[in-house]
């Protein structure tokens, strides 16, 4: 089945540690996105990538880093510089040329808790 | 003014009620519009796109008013299973990411 897989689903981290969240898609989508969601809040864009080997900062990129070495993969690293990393992280992808349909396909999310 | 604004709710309605949500957007050049549904602690999923002429899918009707820059979602004959957060999403011209509203929470009560 085609889709987006995020791992891990739940992650606990000590302060000062970097963690990497995995996002893999087999939908052959060009564009991939990382969002953060806090309780009672909407989705805020962290980073996005429209094509392999290229990515742009979103609205809240500070303290995060990404890479896009393969079309299928868009991992997100939450660094120790991120002041308040506890949140629900959502990865999404969209096919290029489908701007008018706009359907974003989301992974099931990764819930990060900093202890 | 925020790019996409929604009434956060919660809207608490009895089963069978009709409920409507509005969403306003600030960029007059926005081209496409969507409603997503998000269940508690789950990922958002596309509910429906919103077309200029308005569109209906079963109990759900979406409408777009470009002059006033708002879109609406109407749910008729509410079911318990409609309880969720409804996210308004707008796509501006060019290759820019979709912009999400903060969502409106709906609780349908028996």
């Amino acid at each position: 089945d085609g889709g987006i897989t995020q791992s891990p689903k739940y992650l606990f981290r000590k302060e000062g540690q970097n963690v990497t969240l995995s996002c893999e898609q087999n939908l052959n989508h060009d564009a991939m996105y990382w969002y953060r969601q806090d309780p009672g809040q909407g989705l805020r864009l962290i980073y996005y990538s429209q094509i392999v080997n290229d990515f742009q900062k979103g609205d809240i990129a500070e303290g995060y880093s990404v890479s896009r070495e393969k079309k299928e993969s868009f991992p997100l690293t939450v660094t120790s510089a991120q002041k308040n990393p506890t949140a629900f992280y959502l990865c999404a992808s969209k096919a290029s040329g489908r701007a008018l349909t706009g359907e974003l396909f989301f992974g099931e999310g990764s819930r990060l808790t900093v202890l | 003014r925020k790019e996409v604004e929604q009434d956060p709710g919660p809207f608490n309605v009895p089963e069978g009620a009709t409920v409507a949500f509005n969403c306003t957007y600030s960029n007059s050049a926005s081209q496409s519009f969507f409603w997503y549904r998000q269940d508690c602690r789950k990922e958002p999923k596309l509910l429906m796109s919103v077309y200029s002429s308005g569109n209906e899918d079963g109990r759900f009707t979406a409408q777009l008013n470009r002059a006033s820059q708002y879109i609406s979602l109407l749910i008729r004959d509410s079911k318990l299973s409609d309880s969720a957060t409804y996210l308004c999403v707008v796509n501006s011209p060019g290759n820019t990411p979709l912009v999400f509203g903060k969502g409106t929470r709906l609780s349908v009560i028996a």
Side-chain angles (χ1 to χ4, degrees):
Chain A
D1 282 305
I4 298 185
T5 302
Q6 287 186 241
S7 64
K9 201 165 182 177
Y10 299 96
L11 182 62
F12 297 88
R13 174 195 113 174
K14 291 182 181 177
E15 275 193 43
Q17 287 180 336
N18 291 357
V19 292
T20 297
L21 308 180
S22 167
C23 179
E24 304 277 331
Q25 53 99 359
N26 60 5
L27 300 166
N28 200 34
H29 287 171
D30 288 312
M32 296 187 74
Y33 307 83
W34 273 105
Y35 292 92
R36 168 183 172 139
Q37 189 174 38
D38 294 283
Q41 300 293 313
L43 277 66
R44 292 187 290 169
L45 184 64
I46 303 172
Y47 268 99
Y48 65 102
S49 168
Q50 305 278 26
I51 198 167
V52 175
N53 291 323
D54 188 37
F55 50 82
Q56 286 78 40
K57 291 182 179 179
D59 300 317
I60 54 164
E62 186 175 347
Y64 299 98
S65 65
V66 292
S67 61
R68 187 84 188 276
E69 297 174 3
K70 299 187 300 180
K71 188 175 187 177
E72 303 80 19
S73 179
F74 191 40
L76 173 75
T77 297
V78 185
T79 75
S80 55
Q82 168 49 236
K83 297 283 185 267
N84 187 18
T86 295
F88 185 43
Y89 291 88
L90 285 158
C91 179
S93 71
K94 182 161 76 75
S96 59
R98 288 176 65 87
L100 291 183
T101 67
E103 184 168 7
L104 277 180
F105 292 81
F106 284 88
E108 292 187 337
S110 293
R111 202 165 292 277
L112 171 64
T113 302
V114 173
L115 304 171
Chain B
R1 182 181 174 185
K2 294 180 183 167
E3 285 192 72
V4 178
E5 288 199 74
Q6 296 182 248
D7 182 339
F11 284 56
N12 299 316
V13 302
E15 272 186 290
T18 295
V19 60
F21 308 136
N22 281 341
C23 163
T24 59
Y25 60 94
S26 60
N27 187 345
S28 59
S30 297
Q31 291 185 326
S32 41
F33 311 88
F34 314 90
W35 286 101
Y36 277 70
R37 170 192 168 130
Q38 186 176 22
D39 293 301
C40 188
R41 301 175 75 84
K42 298 283 191 182
E43 74 276 20
K45 293 184 179 175
L46 180 67
L47 178 66
M48 58 197 303
S49 302
V50 186
Y51 302 122
S52 295
S53 54
N55 47 301
E56 191 173 306
D57 183 2
R59 297 181 293 107
F60 298 83
T61 301
Q63 293 207 306
L64 168 64
N65 184 319
R66 283 192 185 272
S68 301
Q69 293 181 207
Y70 78 82
I71 66 174
S72 64
L73 177 68
L74 182 79
I75 305 175
R76 288 181 299 277
D77 189 22
S78 300
K79 312 289 185 194
L80 294 175
S81 58
D82 293 334
S83 297
T85 296
Y86 291 84
L87 303 168
C88 173
V89 185
V90 174
N91 194 13
S92 295
N95 223 5
T96 55
L98 298 175
V99 181
F100 284 77
K102 289 189 175 183
T104 298
R105 194 152 58 90
L106 171 66
S107 291
V108 181
I109 308 160

Short mmCIF file of all heavy atoms in Angstrom, two decimals, chain A residues 73-114:
data_model
loop_
_atom_site.label_atom_id
_atom_site.label_comp_id
_atom_site.label_asym_id
_atom_site.label_seq_id
_atom_site.Cartn_x
_atom_site.Cartn_y
_atom_site.Cartn_z
N SER A 73 12.57 10.20 1.13
CA SER A 73 12.91 10.39 2.53
C SER A 73 13.15 11.84 2.88
O SER A 73 13.83 12.57 2.15
CB SER A 73 14.18 9.56 2.82
OG SER A 73 14.57 9.72 4.15
N PHE A 74 12.62 12.26 4.04
CA PHE A 74 12.76 13.66 4.47
C PHE A 74 12.87 13.67 6.00
O PHE A 74 11.93 14.05 6.70
CB PHE A 74 11.55 14.46 3.98
CG PHE A 74 11.68 15.96 4.13
CD1 PHE A 74 12.87 16.62 3.86
CD2 PHE A 74 10.58 16.73 4.50
CE1 PHE A 74 12.98 18.00 3.97
CE2 PHE A 74 10.67 18.12 4.61
CZ PHE A 74 11.86 18.74 4.34
N PRO A 75 14.00 13.26 6.54
CA PRO A 75 14.13 13.19 8.00
C PRO A 75 14.26 14.58 8.64
O PRO A 75 14.84 15.50 8.05
CB PRO A 75 15.42 12.38 8.19
CG PRO A 75 16.20 12.59 6.94
CD PRO A 75 15.19 12.76 5.84
N LEU A 76 13.74 14.68 9.84
CA LEU A 76 13.78 15.92 10.62
C LEU A 76 14.59 15.69 11.88
O LEU A 76 14.32 14.75 12.62
CB LEU A 76 12.36 16.37 11.00
CG LEU A 76 12.26 17.56 11.95
CD1 LEU A 76 12.55 18.86 11.21
CD2 LEU A 76 10.86 17.63 12.57
N THR A 77 15.58 16.55 12.11
CA THR A 77 16.35 16.48 13.35
C THR A 77 15.92 17.62 14.26
O THR A 77 15.93 18.79 13.85
CB THR A 77 17.86 16.55 13.08
OG1 THR A 77 18.24 15.40 12.31
CG2 THR A 77 18.66 16.56 14.38
N VAL A 78 15.54 17.25 15.47
CA VAL A 78 15.21 18.24 16.49
C VAL A 78 16.47 18.41 17.32
O VAL A 78 16.91 17.48 18.01
CB VAL A 78 14.03 17.75 17.36
CG1 VAL A 78 13.62 18.83 18.34
CG2 VAL A 78 12.86 17.32 16.49
N THR A 79 17.07 19.56 17.24
CA THR A 79 18.36 19.75 17.90
C THR A 79 18.16 20.28 19.32
O THR A 79 17.06 20.72 19.70
CB THR A 79 19.24 20.73 17.12
OG1 THR A 79 18.76 22.06 17.32
CG2 THR A 79 19.26 20.41 15.64
N SER A 80 19.24 20.27 20.07
CA SER A 80 19.18 20.76 21.45
C SER A 80 18.92 22.27 21.49
O SER A 80 18.59 22.81 22.54
CB SER A 80 20.49 20.43 22.18
OG SER A 80 21.59 20.95 21.47
N ALA A 81 19.05 22.93 20.35
CA ALA A 81 18.80 24.37 20.30
C ALA A 81 17.31 24.69 20.29
O ALA A 81 16.93 25.85 20.50
CB ALA A 81 19.45 24.97 19.05
N GLN A 82 16.48 23.69 20.04
CA GLN A 82 15.03 23.92 20.04
C GLN A 82 14.57 24.04 21.49
O GLN A 82 14.67 23.09 22.27
CB GLN A 82 14.32 22.78 19.30
CG GLN A 82 12.81 22.71 19.45
CD GLN A 82 12.10 24.02 19.19
OE1 GLN A 82 11.35 24.52 20.02
NE2 GLN A 82 12.35 24.60 18.04
N LYS A 83 14.04 25.19 21.84
CA LYS A 83 13.76 25.50 23.24
C LYS A 83 12.59 24.71 23.82
O LYS A 83 12.57 24.39 25.01
CB LYS A 83 13.45 27.01 23.37
CG LYS A 83 14.61 27.90 22.98
CD LYS A 83 15.65 27.97 24.07
CE LYS A 83 16.75 28.97 23.76
NZ LYS A 83 17.87 28.34 23.09
N ASN A 84 11.62 24.42 23.03
CA ASN A 84 10.43 23.74 23.53
C ASN A 84 10.01 22.64 22.56
O ASN A 84 9.02 22.79 21.84
CB ASN A 84 9.31 24.76 23.72
CG ASN A 84 8.10 24.16 24.40
OD1 ASN A 84 8.18 23.11 25.03
ND2 ASN A 84 6.97 24.81 24.26
N PRO A 85 10.73 21.55 22.51
CA PRO A 85 10.52 20.56 21.46
C PRO A 85 9.36 19.60 21.68
O PRO A 85 8.98 18.90 20.74
CB PRO A 85 11.84 19.79 21.45
CG PRO A 85 12.36 19.92 22.84
CD PRO A 85 11.91 21.26 23.34
N THR A 86 8.81 19.55 22.88
CA THR A 86 7.70 18.62 23.12
C THR A 86 6.51 19.00 22.27
O THR A 86 5.97 20.10 22.40
CB THR A 86 7.31 18.63 24.60
OG1 THR A 86 8.41 18.12 25.37
CG2 THR A 86 6.08 17.78 24.86
N ALA A 87 6.11 18.11 21.37
CA ALA A 87 5.02 18.42 20.43
C ALA A 87 4.70 17.18 19.61
O ALA A 87 5.37 16.15 19.72
CB ALA A 87 5.42 19.57 19.49
N PHE A 88 3.68 17.32 18.79
CA PHE A 88 3.27 16.30 17.83
C PHE A 88 3.81 16.73 16.47
O PHE A 88 3.51 17.84 16.02
CB PHE A 88 1.74 16.23 17.83
CG PHE A 88 1.14 15.14 16.99
CD1 PHE A 88 1.67 13.84 16.99
CD2 PHE A 88 0.01 15.38 16.23
CE1 PHE A 88 1.10 12.83 16.24
CE2 PHE A 88 -0.57 14.37 15.46
CZ PHE A 88 -0.02 13.10 15.48
N TYR A 89 4.63 15.89 15.84
CA TYR A 89 5.26 16.24 14.58
C TYR A 89 4.62 15.45 13.44
O TYR A 89 4.52 14.22 13.50
CB TYR A 89 6.77 15.98 14.64
CG TYR A 89 7.49 16.91 15.56
CD1 TYR A 89 7.63 16.62 16.92
CD2 TYR A 89 8.00 18.12 15.09
CE1 TYR A 89 8.26 17.51 17.77
CE2 TYR A 89 8.65 19.00 15.95
CZ TYR A 89 8.78 18.68 17.29
OH TYR A 89 9.41 19.57 18.13
N LEU A 90 4.22 16.17 12.41
CA LEU A 90 3.55 15.55 11.27
C LEU A 90 4.34 15.78 10.00
O LEU A 90 4.74 16.90 9.69
CB LEU A 90 2.15 16.16 11.10
CG LEU A 90 1.11 15.70 12.10
CD1 LEU A 90 -0.04 16.70 12.19
CD2 LEU A 90 0.57 14.32 11.73
N CYS A 91 4.55 14.70 9.26
CA CYS A 91 5.19 14.77 7.96
C CYS A 91 4.11 14.60 6.90
O CYS A 91 3.13 13.87 7.10
CB CYS A 91 6.22 13.66 7.85
SG CYS A 91 7.09 13.59 6.27
N ALA A 92 4.24 15.30 5.79
CA ALA A 92 3.25 15.21 4.73
C ALA A 92 3.93 15.29 3.38
O ALA A 92 5.06 15.76 3.25
CB ALA A 92 2.23 16.34 4.86
N SER A 93 3.23 14.81 2.36
CA SER A 93 3.76 14.92 1.00
C SER A 93 2.64 15.28 0.04
O SER A 93 1.45 15.09 0.34
CB SER A 93 4.43 13.61 0.57
OG SER A 93 3.47 12.60 0.34
N LYS A 94 3.04 15.81 -1.10
CA LYS A 94 2.07 16.20 -2.12
C LYS A 94 2.71 16.03 -3.48
O LYS A 94 3.89 16.35 -3.66
CB LYS A 94 1.65 17.66 -1.90
CG LYS A 94 0.60 18.19 -2.86
CD LYS A 94 -0.07 19.42 -2.30
CE LYS A 94 0.79 20.66 -2.38
NZ LYS A 94 0.88 21.21 -3.74
N ALA A 95 1.95 15.57 -4.43
CA ALA A 95 2.48 15.43 -5.78
C ALA A 95 2.61 16.79 -6.42
O ALA A 95 1.76 17.65 -6.23
CB ALA A 95 1.55 14.55 -6.61
N SER A 96 3.66 17.02 -7.17
CA SER A 96 3.80 18.29 -7.89
C SER A 96 2.80 18.30 -9.03
O SER A 96 2.38 17.25 -9.53
CB SER A 96 5.22 18.45 -8.43
OG SER A 96 5.54 17.40 -9.31
N GLY A 97 2.41 19.52 -9.41
CA GLY A 97 1.42 19.63 -10.48
C GLY A 97 0.02 19.37 -9.99
O GLY A 97 -0.93 19.39 -10.74
N ARG A 98 -0.13 19.12 -8.68
CA ARG A 98 -1.46 18.88 -8.15
C ARG A 98 -1.85 20.01 -7.20
O ARG A 98 -2.57 19.82 -6.25
CB ARG A 98 -1.52 17.55 -7.43
CG ARG A 98 -1.48 16.36 -8.36
CD ARG A 98 -1.43 15.06 -7.57
NE ARG A 98 -2.63 14.83 -6.80
CZ ARG A 98 -3.72 14.23 -7.27
NH1 ARG A 98 -3.76 13.83 -8.52
NH2 ARG A 98 -4.77 14.03 -6.49
N ALA A 99 -1.33 21.22 -7.49
CA ALA A 99 -1.59 22.34 -6.58
C ALA A 99 -3.09 22.58 -6.44
O ALA A 99 -3.57 22.92 -5.38
CB ALA A 99 -0.90 23.59 -7.10
N LEU A 100 -3.84 22.38 -7.50
CA LEU A 100 -5.25 22.70 -7.42
C LEU A 100 -6.01 21.65 -6.61
O LEU A 100 -7.05 21.95 -6.04
CB LEU A 100 -5.84 22.83 -8.82
CG LEU A 100 -5.35 24.05 -9.60
CD1 LEU A 100 -6.04 24.13 -10.96
CD2 LEU A 100 -5.61 25.33 -8.81
N THR A 101 -5.56 20.44 -6.61
CA THR A 101 -6.24 19.45 -5.77
C THR A 101 -5.81 19.63 -4.33
O THR A 101 -6.60 19.46 -3.42
CB THR A 101 -5.93 18.01 -6.20
OG1 THR A 101 -4.56 17.75 -5.96
CG2 THR A 101 -6.22 17.83 -7.68
N GLY A 102 -4.56 19.96 -4.14
CA GLY A 102 -4.08 20.34 -2.82
C GLY A 102 -4.05 19.26 -1.79
O GLY A 102 -3.88 19.55 -0.62
N GLU A 103 -4.25 18.00 -2.19
CA GLU A 103 -4.32 17.00 -1.14
C GLU A 103 -2.94 16.70 -0.59
O GLU A 103 -2.05 16.26 -1.32
CB GLU A 103 -4.97 15.71 -1.64
CG GLU A 103 -5.12 14.70 -0.50
CD GLU A 103 -6.00 13.53 -0.83
OE1 GLU A 103 -6.41 13.42 -2.01
OE2 GLU A 103 -6.28 12.73 0.08
N LEU A 104 -2.80 16.96 0.68
CA LEU A 104 -1.61 16.57 1.41
C LEU A 104 -1.87 15.21 2.04
O LEU A 104 -2.93 14.99 2.62
CB LEU A 104 -1.31 17.56 2.53
CG LEU A 104 -0.54 18.83 2.22
CD1 LEU A 104 -0.38 19.65 3.49
CD2 LEU A 104 0.80 18.54 1.62
N PHE A 105 -0.91 14.33 1.88
CA PHE A 105 -1.01 13.03 2.53
C PHE A 105 -0.11 13.07 3.77
O PHE A 105 1.08 13.37 3.66
CB PHE A 105 -0.55 11.93 1.57
CG PHE A 105 -1.49 11.74 0.41
CD1 PHE A 105 -1.44 12.58 -0.69
CD2 PHE A 105 -2.42 10.72 0.42
CE1 PHE A 105 -2.32 12.42 -1.76
CE2 PHE A 105 -3.29 10.54 -0.65
CZ PHE A 105 -3.24 11.39 -1.73
N PHE A 106 -0.69 12.78 4.90
CA PHE A 106 0.05 12.86 6.15
C PHE A 106 0.46 11.48 6.65
O PHE A 106 -0.25 10.49 6.45
CB PHE A 106 -0.81 13.51 7.24
CG PHE A 106 -0.94 15.00 7.10
CD1 PHE A 106 -1.95 15.55 6.34
CD2 PHE A 106 -0.05 15.84 7.74
CE1 PHE A 106 -2.07 16.93 6.21
CE2 PHE A 106 -0.17 17.22 7.62
CZ PHE A 106 -1.19 17.76 6.85
N GLY A 107 1.59 11.45 7.35
CA GLY A 107 1.93 10.28 8.14
C GLY A 107 1.12 10.31 9.43
O GLY A 107 0.39 11.27 9.70
N GLU A 108 1.28 9.27 10.24
CA GLU A 108 0.50 9.18 11.47
C GLU A 108 1.06 10.05 12.59
O GLU A 108 0.44 10.16 13.64
CB GLU A 108 0.42 7.72 11.93
CG GLU A 108 -0.43 6.85 10.99
CD GLU A 108 -0.64 5.47 11.54
OE1 GLU A 108 0.17 5.01 12.37
OE2 GLU A 108 -1.63 4.83 11.12
N GLY A 109 2.20 10.64 12.36
CA GLY A 109 2.75 11.56 13.35
C GLY A 109 3.73 10.91 14.31
O GLY A 109 3.72 9.69 14.52
N SER A 110 4.59 11.75 14.86
CA SER A 110 5.53 11.32 15.90
C SER A 110 5.34 12.24 17.10
O SER A 110 5.37 13.46 16.95
CB SER A 110 6.98 11.44 15.40
OG SER A 110 7.24 10.54 14.37
N ARG A 111 5.12 11.62 18.24
CA ARG A 111 4.88 12.41 19.45
C ARG A 111 6.16 12.44 20.27
O ARG A 111 6.57 11.40 20.81
CB ARG A 111 3.72 11.82 20.25
CG ARG A 111 3.05 12.80 21.19
CD ARG A 111 1.70 12.26 21.66
NE ARG A 111 0.70 12.20 20.62
CZ ARG A 111 -0.05 13.20 20.22
NH1 ARG A 111 0.09 14.38 20.79
NH2 ARG A 111 -0.93 13.05 19.28
N LEU A 112 6.78 13.61 20.35
CA LEU A 112 8.06 13.76 21.05
C LEU A 112 7.82 14.40 22.41
O LEU A 112 7.15 15.43 22.51
CB LEU A 112 9.01 14.65 20.22
CG LEU A 112 10.31 15.08 20.89
CD1 LEU A 112 11.19 13.87 21.20
CD2 LEU A 112 11.06 16.06 20.01
N THR A 113 8.39 13.80 23.43
CA THR A 113 8.32 14.35 24.78
C THR A 113 9.73 14.51 25.32
O THR A 113 10.51 13.56 25.29
CB THR A 113 7.53 13.42 25.71
OG1 THR A 113 6.21 13.22 25.19
CG2 THR A 113 7.43 14.02 27.11
N VAL A 114 10.03 15.70 25.76
CA VAL A 114 11.34 15.95 26.36
C VAL A 114 11.21 15.90 27.87
O VAL A 114 10.37 16.59 28.45
CB VAL A 114 11.89 17.31 25.90
CG1 VAL A 114 13.18 17.64 26.65
CG2 VAL A 114 12.15 17.28 24.41
#
